[in-house]
Amino acid sequence: MKITPEMIRENEDINVYIACADESMKAMGYTEHSFAHVTKVAEEAKKLLRMFGADERTQELGWIAGYMHDIGNVINRVDHAQSGAMMTFRILDKIGMDPKETAMVITAIGNHDESTAYPVNALAAALILADKTDVRRSRVRGSDMHSFDIHDRVNYAVTTSRLDIDAENRKITLYLTIDDEISSVADYFEIFLGRMQLSRKAAKRLGADFSLNINGQMLM
């Protein structure tokens, strides 16, 4: 059975898990991991796959992986990639997705968290890039900077964020504008260096180079 992104977006069970997972993240003080985040990741993963030549169905599977990638947070933040992959397997198997397509989606989800991630295939690479480059002020809950930890402060300092995909020249660049009165570029690297290194590996899996540009300066 062909499971479409529209079917996933309208699935009540999946949406409950996404919402409840974000409630857990909120309780622990994490940035937004709800529908704004997963939809952005889904769309960006699909775009990356399209720009680097994937067929339409693979693009759709990238969208599905992006939309479902964080549901494991409903169980626990620790190992949420693996628990989310198992949850996704059960859901997709139950609604009749082809096993090979299910395998592609759960492989990507199970390999997206930086503690255990590896771009084992193009789908996983696109998901990693889409997820790790979603840095923006609107993900921070609230605006009282006195209550921010370093993660909140770094995200809140990002006033603009854009992932530029130059498929012709095989280049992927994350452009950020950071208000250095809120957070320094050094703070950004302290928190996100591992994610950026992982993004570089993911880009190579797609046959591209990854770069980071902050406030007009190319930093990697």
Side-chain angles (χ1 to χ4, degrees), residues 42-56:
E43 295 291 348
E44 203 71 74
K46 180 181 178 180
K47 180 181 178 181
L48 281 158
L49 290 165
R50 175 175 56 82
M51 295 290 285
F52 286 100
D55 60 66
E56 185 174 352

Side-chain angles (χ1 to χ4, degrees), residues 3 8 12 22 27 31 45-46 48 57 67 75 81 103-104 107 109 131 153 162 171 184 187 197 205 214 218:
I3 305 300
I8 297 299
E12 183 177 352
D22 187 56
T31 52
K46 180 181 178 180
L48 281 158
R57 183 56 181 161
Y67 193 76
I75 296 175
M104 292 172 67
T107 295
I109 292 174
D131 183 39
R153 192 168 66 250
R162 176 172 61 89
K171 292 182 179 180
S184 68
D187 284 342
Q197 290 173 330
R205 183 62 181 80
I214 299 181
M218 200 68 76

Side-chain angles (χ1 to χ4, degrees), residues 29-76:
Y30 282 89
T31 52
E32 179 267 325
H33 282 69
S34 191
F35 296 101
H37 172 61
V38 300
T39 301
K40 186 176 191 302
V41 171
E43 295 291 348
E44 203 71 74
K46 180 181 178 180
K47 180 181 178 181
L48 281 158
L49 290 165
R50 175 175 56 82
M51 295 290 285
F52 286 100
D55 60 66
E56 185 174 352
R57 183 56 181 161
T58 301
Q59 295 172 40
E60 290 181 341
L61 295 177
W63 191 99
I64 291 169
Y67 193 76
M68 299 182 72
H69 79 283
D70 268 343
I71 62 173
N73 284 314
V74 77
I75 296 175
N76 198 292

Side-chain angles (χ1 to χ4, degrees), residues 28-219:
M28 291 187 287
Y30 282 89
T31 52
E32 179 267 325
H33 282 69
S34 191
F35 296 101
H37 172 61
V38 300
T39 301
K40 186 176 191 302
V41 171
E43 295 291 348
E44 203 71 74
K46 180 181 178 180
K47 180 181 178 181
L48 281 158
L49 290 165
R50 175 175 56 82
M51 295 290 285
F52 286 100
D55 60 66
E56 185 174 352
R57 183 56 181 161
T58 301
Q59 295 172 40
E60 290 181 341
L61 295 177
W63 191 99
I64 291 169
Y67 193 76
M68 299 182 72
H69 79 283
D70 268 343
I71 62 173
N73 284 314
V74 77
I75 296 175
N76 198 292
R77 178 63 178 172
V78 177
D79 296 330
H80 76 281
Q82 288 73 37
S83 56
M86 293 302 297
M87 290 176 66
T88 299
F89 166 76
R90 185 180 184 280
I91 293 165
L92 297 182
D93 184 61
K94 181 180 178 181
I95 62 178
M97 179 178 268
D98 175 80
K100 186 173 182 180
E101 293 188 344
T102 298
M104 292 172 67
V105 172
I106 64 175
T107 295
I109 292 174
N111 281 280
H112 88 271
D113 185 57
E114 53 261 37
S115 61
T116 54
Y118 196 85
V120 293
N121 56 30
L123 217 65
L127 177 56
I128 287 168
L129 281 161
D131 183 39
K132 303 314 169 193
T133 58
D134 185 19
V135 184
R136 50 189 163 83
R137 174 173 290 186
S138 56
R139 293 192 68 187
V140 179
R141 306 179 196 270
S143 57
D144 180 10
M145 285 188 281
H146 296 292
S147 67
F148 287 174
D149 64 10
I150 189 171
H151 293 84
D152 290 331
R153 192 168 66 250
V154 168
N155 276 279
Y156 196 78
V158 178
T159 56
T160 64
S161 173
R162 176 172 61 89
L163 188 64
D164 183 76
I165 306 166
D166 182 354
E168 183 177 353
N169 293 303
R170 316 301 290 185
K171 292 182 179 180
I172 301 170
T173 306
L174 176 62
Y175 289 92
L176 300 176
T177 303
I178 291 180
D179 184 341
D180 56 15
E181 293 187 2
I182 298 174
S183 180
S184 68
V185 174
D187 284 342
Y188 179 89
F189 272 100
E190 179 181 344
I191 297 302
F192 292 119
L193 180 58
R195 298 183 189 186
M196 296 301 97
Q197 290 173 330
L198 180 58
S199 295
R200 177 171 282 176
K201 289 181 182 178
K204 286 191 180 301
R205 183 62 181 80
L206 296 175
D209 291 321
F210 177 81
S211 300
L212 174 64
N213 184 303
I214 299 181
N215 294 349
Q217 295 187 357
M218 200 68 76
L219 300 178

